[in-house]
């Protein structure tokens, strides 16, 4: 089990002939992910370290039964690549690419909705996800994960690794860890992940790592209050960030009264969600929640 | 990136939106000449990327070219919220019968564009949103659908615009939407949208922010992007390709990953210290990138200690540590440096650091505590 990807995942890597695509395709295979195909338009027929490359995603799906995709295509073409994957019937499209214009992502998601494509987009500008011991899709370092009962969802990459590393060192394993991405508009937000964790039999508690900007954390707090039985532990980074300054992620900016850390922490506390004041405290709160 | 008012107005005019006639000036003499050419009462407006410039004295009305020259010489060079005014917009002063708000921005939660109109124009729309949200009428429009003038007219009517303004406002909102999509804006605002005494609809002030991720397909904005920051360190960071934000403390911070760096700033604050900056070197932490970052941090004379917080993901910590040491050596670091490494082979990484003058911290809180102590002149 776990969420979004598992033993049944058959992955196509879009942009596999590029430097990043090839490197990470190799690392994903090392972790045990079933990488069945690559796609690079115009390069169909070659293979990359034994993985067959196709010109289109639909060809890859026909030939290999691919059901998930991981995108390492440059920003100017990445939304198009994701649209192609959804149109080909891919169920889980993980877009690693950073720097995609916001309106391209908006159009991608809007088109998918209008056409009734059932696939889910994770990202863009995300590190991907890992269902521990089963499948790693993206760029996360496989070595730090260990299978166990804790689901994790985060807007950030290295902060996720930091927390996973901490949990693993404390003997607390993970079910699935998802980096949803640091952009203003993303395909799958906290609520989308929490709903899946609530249904997942392998997940007994969830860690949510938020940051300043937007209202995804506030929405997550309301969802947890109304819909979740599994305990959730929250952490919010950027408590000391000044308003009006974009803190690296395009989505991490406090504008006016919107998106402050105080508002997010308050929303979680009011929803009965314990909020860790430091990274180290996350592990204590998780251990307590697991009992 | 934010456009200046005069740039935003130029862009709006290309989409058929009427603005007051005007030009930008860098000297008082130029301002006087522009006022002479306009031949009417003018407004002289500071071009800086901050709100509240009117209250700060950055806007003046001048009846004659001589007055415009005096106003410009006062405004040019003044500091508004820490930013120095280097340009003023000199434009015809329009007498308003009514002032409205018209604008649009990206709605993250709805993954759409929210188009807004209000008859409470001229003031900060966020204040209206906070105190009387019922005075802002909103619709959500996808770029695929587009906004037609007839839809925008309904919006203007619902917001309570005067009948004389409805047709013009509808046309301009539709034009503004087209601009928003074609120019890859993340914010486009006309505030106030003015109904003049003679019944014309005019964009009296204009705000446009272009999506930084989309500048690759708008080369015309790239030329302007260097001017985006008035801070020399931020400009230097931009030139070096670093993600850097200047803050007001004395501890230089370098980390990999935006979330991790933000958490580091928080950790410093909870230890009673203040960070001098946010600096994200991205994944990997390669030696050349670290060197580049260290050089920038050391240009900041306020920095009394440096804290480097790196999670070695795919790169092992011992490799990161030797890269850091090489970089620090080649730069010649003059202040105490605390390094905190986590991830694969962190013990080996820390062991490498211990043989040097670098302080190898055990965890994030410990690193923050040591950096705060060193910055305030304490012992490690």
């Amino acid at each position: 089990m776990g969420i979004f990807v598992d033993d049944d995942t058959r992955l196509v890597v879009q942009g596999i002939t590029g430097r990043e695509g090839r490197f990470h395709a190799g690392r994903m295979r090392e972790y045990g992910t079933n990488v069945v195909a690559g796609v690079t338009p115009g390069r169909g027929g070659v293979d990359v370290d034994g993985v067959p490359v196709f010109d289109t995603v639909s060809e890859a799906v026909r030939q290999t039964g691919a059901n998930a995709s991981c995108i390492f295509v440059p920003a100017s073409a990445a939304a198009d690549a994701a649209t192609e994957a959804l149109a080909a019937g891919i169920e889980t499209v993980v877009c690693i690419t950073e720097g995609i214009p916001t309106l391209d992502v908006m159009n991608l998601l809007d088109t998918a909705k209008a056409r009734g494509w059932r696939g889910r987009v994770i990202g863009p500008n995300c590190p991907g996800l890992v269902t521990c011991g089963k499948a790693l899709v993206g760029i996360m370092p496989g070595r730090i994960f260990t299978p166990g009962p804790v689901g994790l969802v985060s807007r950030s990459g290295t902060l996720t690794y930091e927390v996973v590393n901490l949990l693993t060192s404390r003997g607390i394993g993970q079910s699935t860890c998802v980096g949803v991405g640091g952009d203003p508009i993303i395909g799958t937000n906290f609520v989308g992940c929490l709903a899946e964790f609530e249904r997942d039999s392998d997940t007994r508690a969830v860690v949510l790592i938020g940051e300043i900007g937007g209202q995804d954390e506030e929405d997550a707090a309301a969802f947890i209050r109304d819909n979740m039985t599994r305990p959730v532990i929250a952490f919010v980074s950027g408590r000391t960030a000044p308003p009006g300054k974009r803190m690296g992620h395009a989505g991490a900016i406090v504008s006016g009264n919107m998106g402050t850390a105080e508002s997010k922490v308050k929303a979680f506390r009011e929803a009965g969600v314990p909020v860790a004041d430091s990274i180290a405290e996350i592990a204590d709160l998780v251990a307590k929640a697991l009992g | 990136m934010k456009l200046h008012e005069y740039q935003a107005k130029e862009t709006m005019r290309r989409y058929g939106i009427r603005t007051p006639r005007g030009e930008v000036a860098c000297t008082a003499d130029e301002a006087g000449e522009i006022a002479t050419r306009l031949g009417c009462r003018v407004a002289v407006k500071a071009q800086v990327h901050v709100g509240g410039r009117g209250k700060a004295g950055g806007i003046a009305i001048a009846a004659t070219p001589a007055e415009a020259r005096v106003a410009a010489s006062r405004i040019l060079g003044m500091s508004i919220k820490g930013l120095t005014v280097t340009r003023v917009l000199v434009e015809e002063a329009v007498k308003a019968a009514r002032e409205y708000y018209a604008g649009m921005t990206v709605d993250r939660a709805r993954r759409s564009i929210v188009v807004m109109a209000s008859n409470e124009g001229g003031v900060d729309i966020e204040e209206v949103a906070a105190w009387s949200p019922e005075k802002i009428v909103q619709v959500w429009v996808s770029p695929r659908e587009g906004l037609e003038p007839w839809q925008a007219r309904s919006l203007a009517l619902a917001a309570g615009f005067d009948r004389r303004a409805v047709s013009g406002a509808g046309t301009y909102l539709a034009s503004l939407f087209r601009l928003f999509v074609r120019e890859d804006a993340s914010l486009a605002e006309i505030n106030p949208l003015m109904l003049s005494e003679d019944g014309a609809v005019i964009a009296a002030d204009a705000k446009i922010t272009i999506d930084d991720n989309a500048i690759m397909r708008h080369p015309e904005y790239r030329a302007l992007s260097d001017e985006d920051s008035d801070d020399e360190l931020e400009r230097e960071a931009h030139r070096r390709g670093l993600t850097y934000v200047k803050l007001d403390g004395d501890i230089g911070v370098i980390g990999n990953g935006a979330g991790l760096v933000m958490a580091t700033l928080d950790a410093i604050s909870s230890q009673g210290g203040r960070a001098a900056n946010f600096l994200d070197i991205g994944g990997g932490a390669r030696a050349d990138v670290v060197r580049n970052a260290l050089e920038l941090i050391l240009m900041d004379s306020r920095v009394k200690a440096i804290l480097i917080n790196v999670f070695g993901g795919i790169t092992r910590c011992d490799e990161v540590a030797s890269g850091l040491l090489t970089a620090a050596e080649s730069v010649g670091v003059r202040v105490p440096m605390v390094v905190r490494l986590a991830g694969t082979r962190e013990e080996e990484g820390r062991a490498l650091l211990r043989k040097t003058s670098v302080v190898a911290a055990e965890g994030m809180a410990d690193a923050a505590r040591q950096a705060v102590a060193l910055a305030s002149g304490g012992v490690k």
Side-chain angles (χ1 to χ4, degrees), chain A residues 89-126:
Chain A
I90 295 284
E91 293 160 20
T92 305
V93 178
V94 180
C95 189
I96 306 302
T97 308
E98 181 181 355
I100 306 178
T102 302
L103 291 182
D104 289 8
V105 182
M106 199 186 280
N107 270 324
L108 154 70
L109 299 174
D110 190 48
T111 304
K113 203 163 128 192
R115 300 276 176 92
W117 293 331
R118 64 202 176 100
R120 163 189 296 283
V121 176
I122 295 172
N125 190 15
C126 79

Side-chain angles (χ1 to χ4, degrees), chain A residues 24 99-102 104 106 110 114 139 143 155 158 161-162 186-187 238-240 242 245-247 251 256, chain B residues 108 111-112 126 142 144 211-213 216-217 234 245 247 256-258 260 266 269 278 311 313-314 340 344 346:
Chain A
H24 288 288
I100 306 178
T102 302
D104 289 8
M106 199 186 280
D110 190 48
I139 60 172
R143 289 180 284 216
R155 274 166 71 181
T158 41
Y161 313 159
E162 178 86 36
I186 50 175
R239 293 188 192 198
T240 53
K245 296 277 190 180
R246 166 180 159 170
M247 303 307 264
Chain B
R108 299 163 58 143
R111 296 166 178 148
S112 187
E126 276 175 353
S142 82
R144 253 164 29 93
D211 176 7
D212 288 322
N213 286 352
M216 59 185 174
R217 56 187 175 209
E234 289 192 349
V245 177
L247 302 170
N256 64 342
L260 185 64
D266 296 347
S269 163
F278 168 101
F311 192 94
I314 288 164
R340 186 270 172 156
T344 313
E346 61 181 62

Side-chain angles (χ1 to χ4, degrees), chain B residues 128-141:
Chain B
V128 180
W131 302 114
S132 34
E134 74 286 352
K135 288 186 175 152
I136 304 174
V137 182
Q138 311 179 79
V139 287
W140 286 265
V141 186

Side-chain angles (χ1 to χ4, degrees), chain A residues 5 10 33 48 83 97 162 195 233 257:
Chain A
V5 294
R10 297 173 64 80
T33 311
V48 170
T83 312
T97 308
E162 178 86 36
I233 311 306
N257 300 320

Side-chain angles (χ1 to χ4, degrees), chain A residues 17 64-65 98 144 159 188 195 203 215 220 240 253 256 279 284 288:
Chain A
T17 54
T64 67
E98 181 181 355
I144 59 174
L159 196 52
T188 300
T203 301
Q215 61 175 68
T240 53
I253 184 163
I279 305 267
D284 302 336
K288 202 169 140 198

